[in-house]
Amino acid sequence: MTGTDWLRIAALPLLLAACGDGPGTIEPPPTAACTFANPVVAGADPWVVRDGGSYHMVQSRDGGIWVTKSTTLTGVAGNGVRVWTPPATGWNATNVWAPELHRIGDRWYIYYAAGSAGPPYVHQRSGVLESVGTDPQGTYVDRGMLYTGDDPAQAGESKWAIDVSVATINGQMYAAWSGWEQNAATDRTPQHLYIARMSNPYTISGARVRISSPVEPWERGTELDLQEGPEFLQRNGQTFIIYSTRESWLPDYRLGQLRLTGADPLSPASWTKSGPVFVSGEGVVGVGHAGFTTSPDGKEDWIVYHAKTSTSPGWDRVIRMQMFTWNADGSPSFGLPVASGRQIARPSGECPAS
């Protein structure tokens, strides 16, 4: 599961303690070497989006959803602005997990998971918020629960679903998420990856299709088999889904990859699995739930992900970021996690020209 447990770790080697230039904005202090070190902030399930000259991170913490703003990627983890507080009652009253922020047309949309109770976390469903204006730190309206059941035309019950992400493929909008085959009384239930068509940013209009299950040896867990956190990654006409697998609370959490090799995204045969594509290393364990963005000048691609703070079971996690490259076949190459405390170059275009 991907519940966010935001810890306040004052001793992290942050480069974020700088004066802000407005609510939710924070900049890192200048450094002669133009470097930074991981981890950058305590937390989990990171999602960063670059829009124009700004970066925004959306977070679930302190009983709500927050959006930050920064002109630099390494400074994106500011205090932020609370943009939504869940209602006191209802399906989305508690357990707000893993929000994602997407700009679609002239509005911003936040996709998130929540539940009416838990643990056990058997009530998780997915919803969407829509911005009133064009400011991602502004007011949002609740567009309600997304239908994540078998077929909206049949009006059946919505199924357990977390980690919704969206993308447009060949002019058609799709949602992908992690879900259960059937609702269950235990949260130790296998999780699969589903995809469905959308008619607009807040309506799933087609039947869900299971495109992947945790069946490979490198996906099978010791306590639970799962796939979660599916994130679309698109480049040069190719579409990938990078997802997390094995148990999030154990140190072998890792990333796998689906590559769209067929014409129809709704056909399981159109997706080719490979992996693992990112695993623990250099003293960094439990790597997963990644998002992707670019450097300020657009010349570099960066992965933003979380990792565990220890090998002990649990959800004490921190957010990290590093540059990645591309293989000759067009697939992403993430390499190994950069060791904690190691100084690495800040994203291209982030430092003043010397």
Side-chain angles (χ1 to χ4, degrees):
M1 64 191 65
T2 55
T4 302
D5 183 13
W6 288 91
L7 305 177
R8 302 183 180 280
I9 303 178
L12 284 174
L14 305 180
L15 292 181
L16 302 175
C19 58
D21 59 5
T25 302
I26 191 166
E27 301 302 332
T31 61
C34 192
T35 62
F36 77 103
N38 280 306
V40 294
V41 72
D45 307 331
W47 181 262
V48 175
V49 60
R50 178 175 171 233
D51 182 64
S54 298
Y55 290 91
H56 303 284
M57 175 181 279
V58 61
Q59 306 168 315
S60 169
R61 59 182 174 88
D62 300 333
I65 293 178
W66 299 68
V67 176
T68 70
K69 181 179 180 180
S70 172
T71 59
T72 61
L73 176 56
T74 54
V76 77
N79 291 328
V81 172
R82 184 195 287 262
V83 299
W84 184 71
T85 300
T89 60
W91 76 268
N92 57 351
T94 61
N95 303 315
V96 179
W97 293 357
E100 287 193 11
L101 177 68
H102 295 261
R103 182 167 189 166
I104 304 173
D106 62 353
R107 293 291 182 267
W108 290 91
Y109 295 87
I110 295 176
Y111 299 90
Y112 68 97
S116 59
Y121 301 102
V122 299
H123 303 289
Q124 294 301 98
R125 303 292 187 270
S126 292
V128 59
L129 310 174
E130 181 183 46
S131 68
V132 173
T134 59
D135 182 2
Q137 293 185 302
T139 303
Y140 285 78
V141 295
D142 189 347
R143 283 291 190 173
M145 184 192 297
L146 289 163
Y147 180 78
T148 52
D150 291 324
D151 187 348
Q154 302 300 319
E157 67 173 350
S158 198
K159 301 290 176 60
W160 192 95
I162 62 172
D163 301 342
V164 166
S165 194
V166 299
T168 298
I169 305 173
N170 296 326
Q172 172 64 52
M173 189 174 182
Y174 295 89
W177 66 91
S178 173
W180 294 350
E181 291 186 274
Q182 301 292 335
N183 291 328
T186 173
D187 52 22
R188 294 300 176 99
T189 298
Q191 295 169 223
H192 311 267
L193 298 185
Y194 292 88
I195 194 170
R197 286 191 181 94
M198 303 186 79
S199 57
N200 59 48
Y202 46 85
T203 306
I204 291 177
S205 57
R208 70 172 186 169
V209 176
R210 189 176 69 186
I211 56 173
S212 184
S213 293
V215 296
E216 297 299 325
W218 53 269
E219 297 176 299
R220 302 298 295 270
T222 58
E223 299 179 15
L224 177 65
D225 297 333
L226 62 81
Q227 296 176 324
E228 59 191 11
E231 309 296 359
F232 289 98
L233 179 58
Q234 295 176 307
R235 179 177 182 262
N236 294 339
Q238 296 197 65
T239 296
F240 302 88
I241 292 178
I242 308 299
Y243 63 92
S244 303
T245 189
R246 292 198 173 174
E247 300 95 333
S248 62
W249 59 94
L250 298 179
D252 283 334
Y253 203 48
R254 56 187 54 189
L255 296 181
Q257 173 183 289
L258 298 178
R259 183 177 193 157
L260 184 60
T261 53
D264 183 8
L266 294 175
S267 170
S270 292
W271 297 94
T272 300
K273 182 188 295 186
S274 59
V277 294
F278 194 53
V279 298
S280 301
E282 299 296 312
V284 182
V285 299
V287 298
H289 207 107
F292 312 99
T293 188
T294 60
S295 59
D297 61 9
K299 295 180 179 179
E300 297 171 349
D301 294 290
W302 283 69
I303 178 174
V304 184
Y305 64 99
H306 73 226
K308 286 172 54 60
T309 59
S310 76
T311 57
S312 299
W315 288 285
D316 293 349
R317 295 169 290 189
V318 288
I319 294 174
R320 312 171 66 92
M321 58 181 67
Q322 63 190 68
M323 189 178 72
F324 71 94
T325 58
W326 299 87
N327 297 310
D329 66 355
S331 62
S333 176
F334 300 118
L336 288 173
V338 175
S340 297
R342 180 183 299 169
Q343 294 295 314
I344 58 177
R346 282 162 56 183
S348 176
E350 190 167 295
C351 299
S354 57

